[in-house]
Amino acid sequence: MMLQRADWAFLFAVVLVVLLVSFLPSPRDQNPPIPADQDHRTLAEEKTCSACHAAGRSRPLSDRHPKRRDCFRCHRQA
Ligand code: HEC
Ligand code: HEC
């Protein structure tokens, strides 16, 4: 099979779109980071977060906060 000029143009466009999308800012860059304080420095597991950030604990999440449990996907470590 011979690649025509239009095929190369199409391939180039595909590569360009993939590159552009990969450089879009991820939401993780905008969400508040996990503070680098004594409370958080030693935490490596998401399930320990609820010791303080569950309802009724010292620092509960607001009602608007997403209910997902994968904290590290949205909050980067400072
Ligand atoms: C020992 C209690 C404690 C634990 C455990 C804890 N936190 Fe926190 N967290 C706090 C307190 C208190 C604050 C507010 C103090 C501050 O802003 O520095 C806070 C603030 C935050 C903030 C910043 C909020 C803002 O407004 O900027 C994020 C994000 C956060 N915690 C995520 C996490 C995640 C993710 C985990 C699990 C890896 C976790 N925390 C575990 C006590 C805790
Ligand atoms: C789907 C993305 C997402 C996930 C998953 C997520 N968060 Fe957040 N979190 C956010 C956003 C966005 C904000 C900022 C909310 C705002 O400004 O009102 C935030 C804010 C916070 C705050 C600041 C106080 C508040 O209630 O607004 C804390 C503390 C926090 N997150 C902790 C956690 C913990 C602990 C987990 C895991 C149980 C977690 N987050 C999972 C997106 C997420």
Side-chain angles (χ1 to χ4, degrees):
M1 188 191 93
M2 282 282 288
L3 285 184
Q4 314 260 300
R5 214 170 133 159
D7 299 325
W8 289 112
F10 175 75
L11 279 178
F12 180 73
V14 168
V15 169
L16 197 69
V17 167
V18 168
L19 280 179
L20 279 178
V21 168
S22 70
F23 282 117
L24 286 176
S26 104
R28 224 160 82 118
D29 301 333
Q30 263 111 57
N31 296 344
I34 300 171
D37 57 11
Q38 200 59 54
D39 282 345
H40 299 87
R41 226 188 327 248
T42 54
L43 299 172
E45 283 194 80
E46 293 169 328
K47 56 176 183 272
T48 37
C49 308
S50 55
C52 303
H53 291 298
R57 300 304 179 100
S58 58
R59 180 93 185 180
L61 299 175
S62 64
D63 295 337
R64 292 178 45 239
H65 189 273
K67 298 287 176 265
R68 285 166 46 173
R69 310 311 319 157
D70 47 346
C71 320
F72 294 152
R73 190 174 291 280
C74 297
H75 297 287
R76 69 192 181 287
Q77 249 128 341

